[in-house]
Amino acid sequence: MKIVILSRNPKLYSTKRLHEAGVKRKHEMLILDHTKCDLIIEKKKPAIVYNNELITDVDAIIPRIGASVTFYGTAVVRQFEMMKAFSVVESQALVRSRDKLRSLQILSRANLGLPKTVFTNYSKDTSEVIKKVGGAPLIIKLLEGTQGLGVVLAETKKAAESVLEAFNGLQARVIVQEFIKEAKGADIRAFVVDGVVVGAMKRQGKEGEFRSNLHRGGTAEIIELSEEEENAALKAAKVMGLGVAGVDMLQSDRGPLILEVNSSPGLEGIEKATQKDIAKSIIRYIERNV
């Protein structure tokens, strides 16, 4: 099979591992920078040109689209879909997952546990917003943030009001969420491939850090999910329409609470924590569907 990995950096761990796993299983693997793909839109003849070469006969694609280039990256994925290539992450699901607010609404409609969240249209009544999530401490998140960037823990009502006023003044869209104290700065990432949890890890924020992202110095260890946690992860990936997903959850007194469903989850943390070949699982997912 001819499989294209859409990635801006061939040296990234995830890109390299997917390439290795595909070659090992005797596939022709190509790495293309989606931001450098030209799309030709014509009646019944959609085409993609890369470095002045026509890209043809692609069986499947693995999108690794960064949040900053979601718009163009999704257009490239859609073009490959029009050319009848199977995509590990469908263009519609990619768009859905990148919209944090829409994602939370979809998860809420599916009756999944979530931290209480408030979104307003730059409301001046910050104290009322704070009250709606149960007061301080609370979490304030930029709708565009990734890898823990743009996430603030406001420990007091005064601090929360200052941060909200600052973001509102910058016309930055934010959501306000209740702080889950019993999670103790840790979260769980469940890695779902084709309706199966292929690996799970518990990420712990470093001392004095409430964000558990590995990019921010957090640590990870393998974890066995409870039945409730596994079901929540599978249901979240399914309602988001994602064949491959990293589902981030908090352990709370009222069960698992979904934080986010990631459509381009990194492989490094999960493979090192679980010692599992997740890249191979993704290649096998393609083999089953093409």
Side-chain angles (χ1 to χ4, degrees), residues 7-17 19 31 33:
S7 171
R8 293 173 78 187
N9 186 353
K11 295 191 175 115
L12 288 175
Y13 178 93
S14 300
T15 308
K16 284 197 296 188
R17 283 287 299 114
H19 188 272
I31 300 170
D33 180 345

Side-chain angles (χ1 to χ4, degrees), residues 125-176:
D125 194 352
T126 50
S127 63
E128 194 55 36
V129 172
I130 292 161
K131 201 161 92 183
K132 284 189 177 105
V133 293
L138 53 81
I139 305 288
I140 300 166
K141 287 182 184 177
L142 271 175
L143 281 179
E144 301 294 319
T146 60
Q147 296 178 351
L149 296 167
V151 182
V152 179
L153 168 63
E155 301 206 32
T156 64
K157 184 171 183 270
K158 203 172 179 60
E161 284 174 344
S162 300
V163 174
L164 281 171
E165 282 161 12
F167 278 139
N168 286 348
L170 293 166
Q171 297 278 287
R173 294 275 184 202
V174 294
I175 53 176
V176 181

Side-chain angles (χ1 to χ4, degrees), residues 187 200-204 214 219-224 269 273-274:
D187 73 4
M201 62 177 172
K202 186 169 188 172
R203 304 181 298 186
Q204 181 68 55
L214 302 183
T219 55
E221 61 180 18
I222 190 167
I223 184 175
E224 178 120 5
T274 62

Side-chain angles (χ1 to χ4, degrees), residues 72-244:
Y72 198 78
T74 306
V76 174
V77 173
R78 204 180 299 120
Q79 190 83 347
F80 272 112
E81 288 170 346
M82 286 162 64
M83 292 159 64
K84 303 289 184 282
F86 171 75
S87 179
V88 161
V89 177
E90 290 179 4
S91 54
Q92 271 302 96
L94 179 59
V95 171
R96 212 180 287 130
S97 71
R98 286 287 156 81
D99 184 334
K100 278 188 187 156
L101 190 63
R102 188 177 172 192
S103 297
L104 290 170
Q105 288 171 323
I106 291 166
L107 296 167
S108 163
R109 192 172 60 200
N111 210 20
L112 283 154
L114 302 165
K116 191 170 184 184
T117 304
V118 173
F119 177 69
T120 71
N121 193 31
Y122 308 121
S123 171
K124 298 267 187 290
D125 194 352
T126 50
S127 63
E128 194 55 36
V129 172
I130 292 161
K131 201 161 92 183
K132 284 189 177 105
V133 293
L138 53 81
I139 305 288
I140 300 166
K141 287 182 184 177
L142 271 175
L143 281 179
E144 301 294 319
T146 60
Q147 296 178 351
L149 296 167
V151 182
V152 179
L153 168 63
E155 301 206 32
T156 64
K157 184 171 183 270
K158 203 172 179 60
E161 284 174 344
S162 300
V163 174
L164 281 171
E165 282 161 12
F167 278 139
N168 286 348
L170 293 166
Q171 297 278 287
R173 294 275 184 202
V174 294
I175 53 176
V176 181
Q177 281 185 333
E178 68 173 312
F179 177 63
I180 309 300
K181 192 179 174 186
E182 61 268 27
K184 298 186 177 119
D187 73 4
I188 293 170
R189 160 139 321 164
F191 208 105
V192 179
V193 179
D194 197 16
V196 177
V197 174
V198 293
M201 62 177 172
K202 186 169 188 172
R203 304 181 298 186
Q204 181 68 55
K206 64 181 180 185
E207 189 69 36
E209 173 61 84
F210 73 98
R211 293 167 295 188
S212 59
N213 304 67
L214 302 183
H215 293 88
R216 316 210 65 77
T219 55
E221 61 180 18
I222 190 167
I223 184 175
E224 178 120 5
L225 296 181
S226 69
E227 197 176 333
E228 195 183 3
E229 287 160 354
E230 187 172 346
N231 289 340
L234 293 176
K235 190 174 180 182
K238 188 178 178 182
V239 298
M240 293 299 293
L242 291 166
V244 172

Side-chain angles (χ1 to χ4, degrees), residues 251-265:
Q251 292 175 309
S252 82
D253 294 341
R254 58 183 195 264
L257 304 177
I258 311 272
L259 285 175
E260 194 175 0
V261 185
N262 196 315
S263 54
S264 289

